[in-house]
Amino acid sequence: MSAAANIGVVGLAVMGSNLARNLASRSGNKVAIYNRSVEKTNDLVANHPEANFIASDSIDEFVASLAKPRIAIIMVQAGFATDAVITALSERFEKDDIIVDGGNALYTDTIRREKEVSAKNIHFVGAGISGGEEGALKGPSIMPGGSKEAYEHLGPILRSIAAVAEDEACVTHIGSDGAGHFVKMIHNGIEYADMQLIAEAYDILRKAGGLNPIEISRVLTEWNAGELESYLIEITAEVLAQVDQKTGEPLVDVILDAAGSKGTGVWTVQNALDLGTPVSGIAEAVFARSLSSQAAQRAGAPEYSAGDTIWEIADQGAFIEDVRQALYASKIVAYAQGFDAIGAGALENNWDINLGEVAKIWRGGCIIRAQFLNRISDAYRQDSKLLSLLFDGYFIRAIEDAAGAWRQVVSKASLAGIPIPAFASSLSYFDGLRAERLPAALVQGQRDFFGAHTYKRVDMPGAFHTLWSGDKSEIQTD
Ligand code: ATR
């Protein structure tokens, strides 16, 4: 067989086959395909003759069908399967060839794999790909890590298949080794927070405002014409408008209220805990899903007299606008926390990540695509060292405009007994960030009392300890 393909895809389940079709539909690409079980390969070839795939039944044949430098994108299950395919390819690939993992790998696995593969002078690129099935087919947001040299070859191909937002392809070289998968992980974490916030807004509109799902769908459609414009708001409006074909009830009312997850939200929070970065909105979103799934505990909760009060709503329009403002402010906090986590990860792993570029490539193709990302991109373009998105002029004004409504909504929802973990934690984070003094001073005092952990003083350098069980005098320890 002649080595005619400029790119190959291994793994032809839904994401892999859609990505292969996307690649084949762009001019200049000739796509080789391979799947462990040959049925998927045959089906794809039969169903999509227009793609003119070069199909192989064996990995040897697949590798032989790739022109040099060979580039193969792996789209198989994360974990063991990915390792197996990387091993098979790296045994056959040669110097300067490029292996791309387009799956949802944990970035630490990507760092390990990059080390192992690059020791053989083969490039390894962990690329986060977001946008689900449709994104893979029509244009995803792509977050490639790996070396700059690899990206020189890979970049044009990825640009050819990526989503386009305002005439720019939604792909950029994120940074070395695991940077791409790290950023994809945080993307998913932000997605968790964004979804939870929208769900809380829905819950308030429904329980306090008495709106039904169709009415809330209309509200969201209106919101989608403003600063909240985003894919997630758009699809939520669609979900709420859906009527169950079996019962005639709103579909949302017949779906079991136990949210699942595939783990990237958990990874985000675990890593943020390790990095000491407070992603409280994302954590609350993950925990809200956990709580929703605790079926036995929820079913066993006693009837409490918990002091819930009725939320008196005098003006329905003003109430809806307050909820919108609270959602927008909370969303800004969630994104600020997510971008902080990327910054912290970059510092820890020596990645030179351009946060403004990350915001830009999330404007199209991915699940959190939104108008609002232009504002984030602008903020980092104006000041690449911005300490927090919440310190950017645009976002300061947005929060100031929303703050009153935000506080009203958080306090009144609490009084009404409506759970709002993400709304409330976002507001507390904001208040914590801007507080002149935090009660952390007292925590330090407590730690010094029981563990002699020492404390610093506001008025002189050094570390100090109070002799709590002695004469309570203070000694300097450092
Ligand atoms: P999706 O979520 O898109 O449906 P996935 O579950 O992430 O897909 O990955 C499934 C793919 O991984 C399939 O192409 C599968 O190959 P088979 O069709 O032969 O099952 C592939 N896969 C799983 N384990 C593999 C392994 N050990 N070696 C090679 N490919 C493997």
Side-chain angles (χ1 to χ4, degrees):
M1 179 190 299
S2 62
N6 66 317
I7 179 95
V9 177
V10 180
L12 302 174
V14 182
M15 288 293 285
S17 54
N18 280 2
L19 201 76
R21 286 173 58 202
N22 184 353
L23 282 160
S25 72
R26 315 288 170 157
S27 67
N29 288 336
K30 185 74 184 164
V31 184
I33 53 171
Y34 168 73
N35 191 70
R36 179 180 60 175
S37 44
V38 74
E39 295 78 21
K40 281 199 181 76
T41 314
N42 293 344
D43 286 351
L44 188 59
V45 170
N47 294 332
H48 295 284
E50 78 286 354
N52 277 316
F53 289 123
I54 302 179
S56 299
D57 293 351
S58 75
I59 193 99
D60 285 322
E61 207 184 308
F62 171 77
V63 170
S65 71
L66 293 168
K68 295 261 315 167
R70 300 182 185 92
I71 305 178
I73 305 184
I74 301 173
M75 297 296 292
V76 304
Q77 262 161 2
F80 169 77
T82 301
D83 275 316
V85 176
I86 291 170
T87 303
L89 287 177
S90 59
E91 281 167 357
R92 292 163 175 83
F93 272 23
E94 295 165 316
K95 186 171 178 303
D96 298 333
D97 289 348
I98 303 169
I99 298 174
V100 183
D101 175 15
N104 246 342
L106 182 59
Y107 78 96
T108 45
D109 284 341
T110 305
I111 292 174
R112 167 181 60 78
R113 289 166 178 153
E114 203 268 346
K115 217 177 249 148
E116 289 165 5
V117 172
S118 64
K120 300 181 174 179
N121 288 320
I122 299 166
H123 295 289
F124 183 78
V125 175
I129 300 182
S130 175
E133 290 172 30
E134 194 182 318
L137 183 62
K138 297 182 180 161
S141 171
I142 311 177
M143 295 149 253
S147 68
K148 282 200 178 108
E149 296 75 28
Y151 191 69
E152 269 167 33
H153 288 291
L154 195 57
I157 297 173
L158 296 183
R159 276 194 289 279
S160 78
I161 58 165
V164 175
E166 296 178 25
D167 293 333
E168 291 176 282
C170 293
V171 55
T172 190
H173 182 229
I174 302 286
S176 60
D177 54 54
H181 275 139
F182 183 87
V183 165
K184 171 62 170 41
M185 175 184 78
I186 304 292
H187 163 284
N188 286 26
I190 294 174
E191 179 185 316
Y192 272 59
D194 207 339
M195 290 167 70
Q196 174 65 22
L197 289 167
I198 297 170
E200 290 179 18
Y202 151 78
D203 211 26
I204 294 168
L205 292 173
R206 186 135 194 214
K207 289 179 180 154
L211 278 72
N212 66 36
I214 299 283
E215 290 165 335
I216 299 171
S217 171
R218 283 192 209 111
V219 167
L220 293 190
T221 302
E222 276 171 32
W223 289 358
N224 206 35
E227 55 202 356
L228 279 170
E229 191 267 303
S230 64
Y231 172 73
L232 282 172
I233 292 276
E234 181 190 322
I235 63 155
T236 309
E238 279 204 43
V239 173
L240 287 171
Q242 183 71 17
V243 173
D244 176 41
Q245 294 180 349
K246 295 190 183 70
T247 61
E249 297 295 316
L251 180 68
V252 71
D253 286 348
V254 297
I255 296 178
L256 187 71
D257 57 344
S261 68
K262 277 190 163 177
T264 42
V266 172
W267 288 352
T268 303
V269 178
Q270 282 171 339
N271 278 284
L273 288 171
D274 287 341
L275 291 166
T277 305
V279 291
S280 49
I282 301 171
E284 289 296 353
V286 172
F287 286 137
R289 291 194 193 187
S290 314
L291 175 65
S292 76
S293 299
Q294 300 218 307
Q297 273 193 341
R298 288 180 59 202
E303 287 282 332
Y304 278 103
S305 168
D308 311 6
T309 55
I310 304 278
W311 185 336
E312 301 289 350
I313 294 165
D315 178 340
Q316 186 87 320
F319 159 75
I320 292 171
E321 175 57 13
D322 281 355
V323 176
R324 189 191 71 79
Q325 297 267 20
L327 174 57
Y328 190 47
S330 302
K331 177 172 165 142
I332 293 170
V333 168
Y335 281 69
Q337 293 181 342
F339 276 85
D340 277 358
I342 296 177
L347 203 61
E348 175 78 12
N349 294 284
N350 289 318
W351 295 321
D352 184 17
I353 300 182
N354 182 327
L355 297 179
E357 287 297 306
V358 170
K360 267 187 166 181
I361 66 163
W362 287 350
R363 289 176 307 172
C366 64
I367 305 296
I368 63 170
R369 61 186 182 258
Q371 268 297 322
F372 161 80
L373 286 154
N374 275 315
R375 300 294 186 180
I376 298 180
S377 165
D378 288 348
Y380 284 115
R381 199 182 48 238
Q382 281 159 22
D383 180 1
S384 63
K385 302 264 179 290
L386 195 62
L387 285 173
S388 166
L389 267 185
L390 300 176
F391 303 163
D392 165 74
Y394 171 81
F395 290 113
I396 291 172
R397 282 188 298 282
I399 295 264
E400 282 179 350
D401 285 350
W406 196 11
R407 291 188 193 287
Q408 288 292 329
V409 168
V410 167
S411 55
K412 287 181 177 165
S414 301
L415 286 168
I418 301 171
I420 42 153
F423 270 33
S425 80
S426 303
L427 181 55
S428 281
Y429 171 86
F430 167 68
D431 284 333
L433 191 63
R434 73 195 186 92
E436 206 174 313
R437 289 275 293 162
L438 288 169
L442 181 56
V443 172
Q444 284 297 84
Q446 293 163 330
R447 293 179 68 238
D448 188 58
F449 188 102
F450 64 69
H453 292 304
T454 74
Y455 50 84
K456 290 182 180 159
R457 297 181 55 98
V458 296
D459 51 0
M460 61 182 73
F464 299 88
H465 169 58
T466 291
L467 298 168
W468 296 104
S469 47
D471 64 1
K472 294 203 168 39
S473 61
E474 183 180 73
I475 55 169
Q476 186 161 1
T477 60
D478 197 9

